[in-house]
């Protein structure tokens, strides 16, 4: 998808100390042979809860920023009933919204 003309910002989150671990193995005595490499990204389920929490918080933070003017359409397709879906185009209301409670987060933390 091509981005429409305009100014945009993005937010991201990451785990400084994930439980997931990757590995690299030498597969040949040839130093130019590519090693067997597995990043191990998200291969431990304990990393999921903090990643979900970070994603929810980054969306909440973005919606409260003065620079926020809505989302690019069709970038992420959430179910209509999901509270992660941005359905309010009124920026004043968006900035005054209180903390969005996510039942999914409670499930992952418990």
């Amino acid at each position: 998808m091509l981005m429409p003309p305009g100014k945009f910002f993005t937010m991201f989150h990451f785990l400084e100390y994930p439980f997931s671990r990757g590995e690299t193995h030498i597969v040949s005595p040839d130093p130019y042979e590519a090693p067997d490499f597995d990043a191990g990204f998200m291969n431990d389920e304990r990393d999921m809860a903090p990643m979900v929490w970070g994603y929810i918080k980054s969306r909440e933070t973005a919606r409260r920023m003065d620079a926020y003017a809505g989302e690019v359409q069709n970038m992420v397709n959430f179910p209509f009933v999901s509270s992660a879906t941005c359905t309010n185009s009124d920026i004043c209301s968006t900035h005054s919204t209180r903390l969005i409670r996510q039942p999914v987060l409670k499930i992952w933390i418990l």
Side-chain angles (χ1 to χ4, degrees):
M1 174 182 157
L2 294 175
M3 296 294 289
K7 295 181 179 180
F8 302 95
F9 70 89
T10 186
M11 299 179 83
F12 69 95
H13 55 279
F14 62 94
L15 299 177
E16 278 192 67
Y17 303 103
F19 288 100
S20 299
R21 295 287 182 252
E23 56 191 20
T24 303
H25 295 283
I26 297 172
V27 295
S28 166
D30 180 4
Y32 298 103
E33 178 83 23
D36 180 21
F37 176 76
D38 175 17
F41 182 70
M42 298 300 289
N43 65 2
D44 190 310
E45 64 183 35
R46 294 175 291 179
D47 291 338
M48 185 57 71
M51 289 297 284
V52 169
W53 182 86
Y55 178 73
I56 291 168
K57 291 301 173 189
S58 66
R59 287 181 64 85
E60 289 178 2
T61 302
R63 290 180 186 169
R64 287 171 177 76
M65 294 175 66
D66 290 336
Y68 181 78
E71 297 180 1
V72 175
Q73 295 299 316
N74 300 321
M75 288 302 287
V76 179
N77 295 318
F78 292 104
F80 180 73
V81 297
S82 172
S83 57
T85 302
C86 182
T87 57
N88 186 354
S89 297
D90 178 10
I91 300 304
C92 293
S93 298
T94 302
H95 286 282
S96 65
T97 303
R98 290 285 188 200
L99 179 66
I100 299 169
R101 297 189 185 271
Q102 293 279 354
V104 173
L105 181 62
K106 291 179 185 174
I107 292 170
W108 281 104
I109 291 177
L110 297 177

